[in-house]
């Protein structure tokens, strides 16, 4: 519509992370991402830019029942069709949060309480690529092969760029770069390969 709208999201609590895209109108409309750590600020996954605040995108943060949209062609305009993907944090399955980079090759440890299969990272303070790692791109630590959501480039193949360790209970950054570990704030989205403890109490292993 061309007015403020509430979209029921069907989750058991407020979404931790989500992405919306107009299916009509061609490529002129950006992908729009919400993250619970950013409140009503938003990011654009097809761009490398910092987070923004715009009441015409998200007039208020999402809550336990609805996502609130303003009047903007990227998220809510009459005559447009949109698709959206929304996730909540589920212990042992998914987690969405924020960490502060330390600009060191012994970077911060992010506790997920599971071994990750997928980790997506975005610098919120500086222009930098959206970086996605999977446990299938590198089978041993440190991993460095990654893809950029905002770019059509092939995966990074430089072993000294954007290194990361996938651990039994989270991940650790191993490079001092703007993309994943400068002196900035970063949001992340992570999905599990294996919970820290299974149904029988056994602990997961790092790769």
């Amino acid at each position: 519509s061309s007015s403020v709208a509430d979209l029921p999201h069907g989750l058991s609590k407020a979404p931790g992370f989500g992405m919306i895209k107009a299916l009509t109108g061609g490529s002129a409309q950006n992908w729009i991402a919400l993250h619970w750590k950013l409140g009503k600020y938003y990011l654009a996954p097809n761009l490398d830019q910092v987070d923004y605040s715009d009441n015409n995108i998200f007039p208020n943060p999402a809550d336990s029942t609805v996502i609130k949209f303003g009047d903007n062609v990227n998220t809510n305009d009459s005559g447009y069709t949109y698709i959206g993907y929304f996730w909540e944090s589920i212990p042992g399955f998914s987690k969405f949060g924020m960490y502060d980079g330390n600009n060191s090759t012994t970077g911060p440890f992010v506790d997920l309480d599971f071994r990750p299969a997928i980790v997506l990272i975005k610098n919120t303070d500086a222009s930098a690529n959206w970086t996605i790692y999977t446990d299938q791109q590198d089978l041993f630590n440190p991993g460095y092969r990654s893809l950029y959501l905002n770019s059509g480039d092939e995966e990074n193949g430089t072993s000294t760029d954007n290194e990361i360790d996938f651990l039994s209970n989270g991940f650790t950054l191993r490079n001092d770069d703007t993309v994943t570990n400068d002196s900035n704030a970063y949001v992340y989205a992570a999905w599990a390969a294996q919970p820290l403890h299974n149904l029988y109490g056994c602990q997961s292993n790092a790769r």
Side-chain angles (χ1 to χ4, degrees):
S1 69
S2 294
S3 59
V4 174
D6 289 348
L7 174 69
H9 51 65
L11 302 174
S12 65
K13 54 187 175 183
F17 179 65
M19 295 190 291
I20 307 102
K21 179 69 173 70
L23 297 178
T24 50
S27 60
Q29 281 69 55
N30 293 316
W31 281 88
I32 299 296
L34 63 84
H35 195 288
W36 75 277
K37 281 290 189 179
L38 299 179
K40 67 177 186 177
Y41 281 67
Y42 74 92
L43 291 160
N46 58 303
L47 303 174
D48 64 0
Q49 298 172 356
V50 300
D51 58 346
Y52 296 94
S53 176
D54 184 344
N55 284 333
N56 290 324
I57 298 285
F58 299 127
N60 293 289
D63 61 30
S64 60
T65 56
V66 298
I67 299 166
K68 300 177 183 296
F69 293 113
D71 173 15
N72 185 279
V73 68
N74 289 297
T75 55
N76 179 35
D77 201 1
S78 59
Y80 284 74
T81 302
Y82 298 87
I83 191 168
Y85 305 91
F86 306 101
W87 296 269
E88 62 178 279
S89 290
I90 299 173
F93 178 78
S94 58
K95 189 171 182 179
F96 312 99
M98 176 178 279
Y99 66 87
D100 292 322
N102 64 6
N103 196 31
S104 169
T105 54
T106 54
F109 164 69
V110 178
D111 187 0
L112 301 174
D113 210 27
F114 56 76
R115 190 182 78 208
I118 302 171
V119 174
L120 174 64
I121 296 172
K122 179 64 179 80
N123 190 329
T124 64
D125 295 329
S127 294
N129 291 316
W130 288 75
T131 306
I132 187 167
Y133 303 90
T134 76
D135 62 357
Q136 300 302 302
Q137 291 166 286
D138 286 293
L139 301 181
F140 303 97
N141 290 324
Y144 60 88
R145 293 180 176 89
S146 58
L147 292 167
Y148 301 137
L149 291 190
N150 54 287
S151 170
D153 293 345
E154 63 185 17
E155 74 174 10
N156 171 56
T158 304
S159 61
T160 55
D161 285 351
N162 311 331
E163 296 113 306
I164 190 171
D165 285 349
F166 275 21
L167 307 173
S168 63
N169 58 344
F171 63 91
T172 297
L173 286 310
R174 293 300 185 192
N175 206 339
D176 52 348
D177 59 74
T178 305
V179 176
T180 60
N181 189 31
D182 205 344
S183 299
N184 297 134
Y186 295 81
V187 291
Y188 68 84
W191 292 267
Q194 188 177 26
L196 180 59
H197 296 93
N198 65 20
L199 295 176
Y200 305 100
C202 295
Q203 188 169 1
S204 67
N205 57 300
R207 63 183 183 184

